Amino acid sequence: MPDVTNRKSLTTTEGMSRSPNRAMLRAVGFQDDDFEKPILGVASLHSDITPCNTHLDRLARKAIEGIRSAGGVPQIFGAPTVSDGISMGHMGMRYSLVSREVIADSLETVAGAMNHDGLLAVGGCDKNMPGCVMAMARLNIPSVFVYGGSILPGIGPDGEDLDIVSIFEAVGKFQAGLIDEKKLHKVECESCPGAGSCGGMYTANTMSTAIEAMGMSLPSDASYPAISAAKERETYLAGRALVACVQANIRPRDIITRKSLENAYTTVLALGGSTNAVLHLMAIAHEAQVQWTLEDFDRLGMKVPHLADLKPSGKYVMYDLFREGGTPAVLKALLDAGMLHGDCITVTGKTLAENLADVQSVYANPRRKVMMPLDQPKYDKGHIVILKGNLAPEGCVAKLSGLKVRNITGPAKVFDGEEACFQAIQAQKIVAGDVVVIRGEGPVGGPGMREMLSITGALMGQGLGASVGLITDGRFSGGTHGLVVGHVSPEAWTGGVIGLLKNGDSITIDGDKKLLQVNISDEELAKRKAAWQKPAIRVERGVLAKYAKLVTSASAGAVTG
């Protein structure tokens, strides 16, 4: 008789009528007894498009070893990934957020068609991580996620640590005449020294820590370096853990709950993570059929302090945190402080508290430097704030970490698209006190909700990061810092007020009051709305057109299904 763990795959393999199915599987290596074992998909997001994913094939093979050793039968398959860093600053970035949906659809398509009994995914870039977990929640078959790990820091011209944001900001310094071309080239060559995801608390590390805190990956998954024996050992164990989840019938929707989402976002806030976590956690909640709104983010933000001195607003990178005990040590500290729900089940088959029972808190480490004391945080409330007002009645997202000035009122300088704004920055037409508006970059308008790291990096490089406001219906990279507001909803393309702004309009960004407003009369605003005409979708065919027709507002996670 087939093993009781062999649930879904029997549809594909059991009985005389499935002889043709089995014949094809024999051609890829199946033996007679393999049909009595759980058949498990291994989604490898490997590519040499980006350093985040270039080593994932090796890790996927380790997962396969673990699955086989535990009595499962692995089937490896691929899924597409784009590089945010390489796509930044041009029209290629339109595809970035779109790829999250494509990845989720790809994993669902393969695992669904093959009737896989479980799914393990190995990812290492900003969108493939949430895309993988979205698929897992959608399929609701036993699943484990493995993060490819962080890149090591590069070494700069003056011996300083470098990462990907270093080169974006170096471009702004070069434009401002603060460094020469030789130094710019040196930073370019050393910013990314090898395989792994961007090292600061940018979107990749934000989502990996959120996924670990959520319980969908093994302990330390988020903090093991990409190139390390520890990461390979962990991936092997992840394969074994997947078989155990199948045997125990532990499924993603058992793990992804309101309480585990609170754990995930609490960890994001404590570590100073990316605003993209708002979009991605909402999308994961949507797929897991868990009710979750912008108000939930704001509720947690009011009580969780920002504790980590990590880039982009701090000094250190994930490798430094790894040396201090990594994510388990941080989670232990948060659990001890009563900030986490310890009773949430995880892919280990144990609760979060059980996973952390023998872990030493990061605060017990005498060499600790990354995590600030609980009673002396960088900020006593969350660094990510949900703003509302007449410019964003559905809400928008601001990141306030590292800011001495958390509000600004100034004249709008309005740009239709990122390129026009970047040209103005290059020409040094942006001055202190301006509020820069970049519109037409929302989920529908882009299409695809581009990130603006080239913009914010150039402003920081020119020394304007603390004196200029920036709002957009697009997104910001996890590497962004400054007084920036993204995800403005409704977006310009669907009739949002951001599309009605004019140069010189007075705009207020107030992080303390959670306010984003244009300071004009209701009568003037109504007049502009009456004159507005809905534009056609920019792209007529292909994946971007499909996305623009299906996608929800950023305030609902920019999901398509």
Side-chain angles (χ1 to χ4, degrees):
M1 289 292 291
D3 191 288
V4 294
T5 60
N6 195 357
R7 292 178 168 85
K8 289 177 66 68
S9 59
L10 289 175
T11 304
T12 302
T13 62
E14 187 178 44
M16 300 304 293
S17 65
R18 293 292 184 251
S19 292
N21 310 60
R22 293 193 297 273
M24 295 192 74
L25 289 170
R26 290 180 192 279
V28 296
F30 274 60
Q31 305 293 328
D32 282 347
D33 60 351
D34 287 334
F35 298 112
E36 298 183 358
K37 300 173 183 176
I39 301 176
L40 307 173
V42 176
S44 171
L45 280 293
H46 163 255
S47 74
D48 60 5
I49 288 174
T50 168
C52 312
N53 305 315
T54 188
H55 61 304
L56 298 186
D57 54 339
R58 184 177 72 254
L59 294 181
R61 296 296 169 185
K62 288 293 181 182
I64 285 172
E65 291 177 19
I67 288 170
R68 286 200 182 280
S69 74
V73 183
Q75 287 194 306
I76 192 168
F77 64 94
T81 290
V82 302
S83 168
D84 282 20
I86 301 170
S87 300
M88 200 74 67
H90 56 82
M91 288 300 179
M93 178 50 70
R94 286 179 171 181
Y95 291 90
S96 170
L97 188 59
V98 175
S99 76
R100 185 190 72 180
E101 311 302 304
V102 174
I103 291 162
D105 291 349
S106 297
L107 269 61
E108 178 199 0
T109 299
V110 176
M114 296 305 298
N115 286 303
H116 283 146
D117 297 303
L119 177 63
L120 184 145
V122 187
C125 205
D126 292 10
K127 305 307 174 297
N128 66 37
M129 287 188 283
C132 289
V133 178
M134 288 165 65
M136 292 170 174
R138 190 185 299 172
L139 289 159
N140 202 32
I141 57 176
S143 302
V144 177
F145 179 76
V146 176
Y147 174 43
S150 290
I151 197 170
L152 295 176
I155 301 173
D158 301 314
E160 73 277 18
D161 284 350
L162 297 178
D163 63 10
I164 186 61
V165 175
S166 304
I167 183 59
F168 277 99
E169 295 185 358
V171 171
K173 292 177 181 178
F174 175 74
Q175 291 171 346
L178 300 176
I179 61 173
D180 59 19
E181 188 173 356
K182 183 178 180 180
K183 195 162 190 176
L184 177 66
H185 183 259
K186 176 70 173 177
V187 175
E188 176 186 328
C189 292
E190 301 298 332
S191 289
C192 298
S197 297
C198 302
M201 192 47 58
Y202 313 139
T203 303
N205 281 323
T206 295
M207 290 312 301
S208 66
T209 53
I211 292 167
E212 182 178 332
M214 189 188 299
M216 286 298 295
S217 60
L218 294 186
S220 292
D221 177 68
S223 49
Y224 283 143
I227 304 302
S228 65
K231 176 52 71 175
E232 296 195 7
R233 289 193 298 268
E234 178 228 329
T235 309
Y236 172 85
L237 293 173
R240 293 185 61 86
L242 176 60
V243 176
C245 284
V246 172
Q247 292 168 341
N249 197 26
I250 298 173
R251 304 179 182 224
R253 293 186 201 171
D254 301 322
I255 296 170
I256 305 171
T257 64
R258 278 188 64 83
K259 290 169 74 172
S260 72
L261 285 165
E262 287 190 357
N263 287 347
Y265 191 60
T266 294
T267 307
V268 169
L269 291 168
L271 293 177
S274 165
T275 55
N276 280 316
V278 174
L279 280 178
H280 298 328
L281 290 175
M282 287 187 77
I284 291 168
H286 171 80
E287 299 294 356
Q289 299 182 352
V290 176
Q291 184 178 5
W292 192 266
T293 68
L294 289 178
E295 283 68 31
D296 290 301
F297 293 108
D298 208 33
R299 170 175 55 84
L300 292 171
M302 290 298 293
K303 60 184 182 180
V304 179
H306 177 187
L307 296 165
D309 193 15
L310 289 165
K311 290 185 176 183
S313 60
K315 300 176 184 177
Y316 302 108
V317 294
M318 182 58 83
Y319 182 68
D320 298 306
L321 187 62
F322 166 67
R323 290 166 60 92
E324 296 180 12
T327 34
V330 172
L331 294 176
K332 179 70 169 181
L334 296 176
L335 181 67
D336 288 348
M339 296 183 191
L340 299 181
H341 302 286
D343 58 344
C344 292
I345 194 69
T346 73
V347 293
T348 66
K350 301 177 181 179
T351 65
L352 180 68
E354 289 171 336
N355 287 343
L356 299 173
D358 297 324
V359 173
Q360 185 181 62
S361 167
V362 70
Y363 292 117
N365 188 332
R367 301 179 66 183
R368 171 185 54 81
K369 58 184 180 181
V370 176
M371 295 294 288
M372 310 295 286
L374 282 164
D375 60 352
Q376 299 175 41
K378 285 175 71 72
Y379 306 100
D380 59 359
K381 296 179 182 177
H383 65 293
I384 298 175
V385 177
I386 308 301
L387 310 182
K388 289 193 174 182
N390 65 359
L391 241 174
E394 290 181 6
C396 57
V397 182
K399 185 176 181 181
L400 303 178
S401 53
L403 297 182
K404 295 179 180 178
V405 179
R406 296 161 61 96
N407 53 75
I408 187 173
T409 295
K413 285 194 175 173
V414 182
F415 300 95
D416 291 308
E418 178 183 359
E419 286 77 9
C421 181
F422 191 73
Q423 290 172 8
I425 295 171
Q426 283 185 308
Q428 299 189 12
K429 293 182 179 179
I430 307 300
V431 298
D434 285 341
V435 177
V436 176
V437 178
I438 306 174
R439 64 189 180 192
E441 295 287 6
V444 177
M449 210 177 177
R450 288 194 289 178
E451 291 183 346
M452 305 291 168
L453 182 57
S454 296
I455 298 294
T456 57
L459 289 172
M460 293 299 297
Q462 291 187 12
L464 293 171
S467 57
V468 167
L470 174 57
I471 70 170
T472 182
D473 50 10
R475 296 182 295 129
F476 291 110
S477 162
T480 291
H481 51 132
L483 187 54
V484 298
V485 181
H487 313 190
V488 172
S489 302
E491 61 173 291
W493 223 258
T494 60
V497 174
I498 189 172
L500 309 178
L501 297 177
K502 297 179 179 180
N503 282 320
D505 284 345
S506 172
I507 293 176
T508 295
I509 304 170
D510 194 322
D512 296 317
K513 295 181 179 179
K514 301 181 182 179
L515 177 68
L516 179 68
Q517 72 178 24
V518 54
N519 301 306
I520 60 177
S521 67
D522 292 343
E523 292 76 14
E524 174 62 20
L525 198 54
K527 180 181 176 181
R528 294 185 190 182
K529 286 181 178 179
W532 180 79
Q533 294 184 344
K534 183 177 179 62
I537 293 174
R538 278 177 165 154
V539 182
E540 296 181 355
R541 301 183 65 182
V543 67
L544 294 180
K546 294 174 187 176
Y547 182 85
K549 291 173 183 176
L550 294 172
V551 69
T552 64
S553 168
S555 63
V559 295
T560 57

